[in-house]
Amino acid sequence: GDSVTQMEGPVTLSEEAFLTINCTYTATGYPSLFWYVQYPGEGLQLLLKATKADDKGSNKGFEATYRKETTSFHLEKGSVQVSDSAVYFCALSTGANSKLTFGKGITLSVRP
Amino acid sequence: GAGVSQSPSNKVTEKGKDVELRCDPISGHTALYWYRQSLGQGLEFLIYFQGNSAPDKSGLPSDRFSAERTGGSVSTLTIQRTQQEDSAVYLCASSFGALTEAFFGQGTRLTVV
């Protein structure tokens, strides 16, 4: 079945550090890929998405590229801010009658 | 409505009681999902609806859990004879269907005492 694997957390970085959060997937068919973010005390919201190979999703300075050859969708940001502290979830969706499959999530803490 | 609406936002219930959680999806969204998030844990899939049918119920933890969706819109998740391990935040999401992003509600925080 479909699955998403995220790197183990938590991750703690200093402000302005470079961020990479790894995500790899296994899927039947050709999935769409997503990163969701959950800020403290808030609901889950979509951060970015990509729907086909080599697509790059981007939002709020975050980027992720859909790599079919390595089945990966790593999240990157060049310079993190304290306000980026949150839980990040990688997810995928495949064809009809398919649920949205999430990774376990990773907590990012950015210190001033 | 403008977003996914869940009610109640908080529910405290006694062990052994039944509870109903409600989800109003975004208008026009055909897909509806229920997930559970326990403290410090990831998202646990419960059930997925496409229209009024549920092609994937594989995540329901036991036969105490059931869900229905009527009119292709509102969904209710029912937990019978609640147990303390049912305490969690129950999240509902909706989307236009496969391959599209889902929009989440704020969740219902269920506490079984």
Side-chain angles (χ1 to χ4, degrees):
Chain A
D2 299 342
S3 67
V4 176
T5 303
Q6 292 185 231
M7 60 185 280
E8 295 286 325
V11 173
T12 302
L13 295 174
S14 297
E15 204 165 25
E16 299 184 1
F18 183 83
L19 168 72
T20 300
I21 300 177
N22 289 342
C23 171
T24 56
Y25 67 89
T26 302
T28 53
Y30 206 172
S32 291
L33 302 173
F34 310 91
W35 276 101
Y36 283 82
V37 59
Q38 188 172 31
Y39 297 105
E42 297 186 17
L44 269 164
Q45 57 187 276
L46 180 71
L47 179 61
L48 54 83
K49 66 176 182 179
T51 58
K52 61 182 186 295
D54 300 324
D55 264 3
K56 179 184 286 187
S58 61
N59 186 24
K60 299 182 180 181
F62 289 88
E63 293 183 339
T65 301
Y66 189 143
R67 299 288 187 200
K68 187 169 183 284
E69 64 276 12
T70 54
T71 61
S72 65
F73 193 54
H74 304 324
L75 183 68
E76 295 183 337
K77 186 172 186 181
S79 176
V80 294
Q81 305 300 311
V82 172
S83 57
D84 293 327
S85 298
V87 182
Y88 292 82
F89 294 90
C90 185
L92 69 81
S93 173
T94 56
N97 297 330
S98 172
K99 65 181 182 283
L100 194 59
T101 300
F102 283 86
K104 293 188 176 181
I106 186 169
T107 301
L108 170 66
S109 298
V110 180
R111 52 177 184 242
Chain B
V4 178
S5 177
Q6 291 187 247
S7 61
S9 54
N10 279 285
K11 176 73 176 179
V12 180
T13 189
E14 291 181 353
K15 179 180 172 182
K17 300 283 190 185
D18 297 352
V19 294
E20 274 194 0
L21 311 180
R22 177 186 169 103
C23 173
D24 279 277
I26 292 172
S27 178
H29 279 188
T30 57
L32 187 146
Y33 311 82
W34 283 99
Y35 291 87
R36 180 166 73 173
Q37 188 173 30
S38 302
L39 187 63
Q41 301 297 311
L43 289 165
E44 178 186 2
F45 168 76
L46 297 177
I47 189 169
Y48 159 65
F49 287 93
Q50 179 61 41
N52 290 334
S53 64
D56 193 341
K57 306 179 185 178
S58 62
L60 294 177
S62 74
D63 59 6
R64 295 187 296 106
F65 287 73
S66 63
E68 65 174 15
R69 188 180 186 196
T70 55
S73 182
V74 172
S75 176
T76 54
L77 176 69
T78 302
I79 309 173
Q80 296 178 308
R81 305 181 302 281
T82 52
Q83 304 295 313
Q84 287 187 328
E85 61 263 27
D86 300 334
S87 297
V89 176
Y90 288 80
L91 295 170
C92 177
S94 69
S95 76
F96 282 116
L99 303 176
T100 65
E101 66 263 35
F103 295 83
F104 281 80
Q106 291 296 308
T108 293
R109 182 176 298 279
L110 175 66
T111 304
V112 182
V113 297

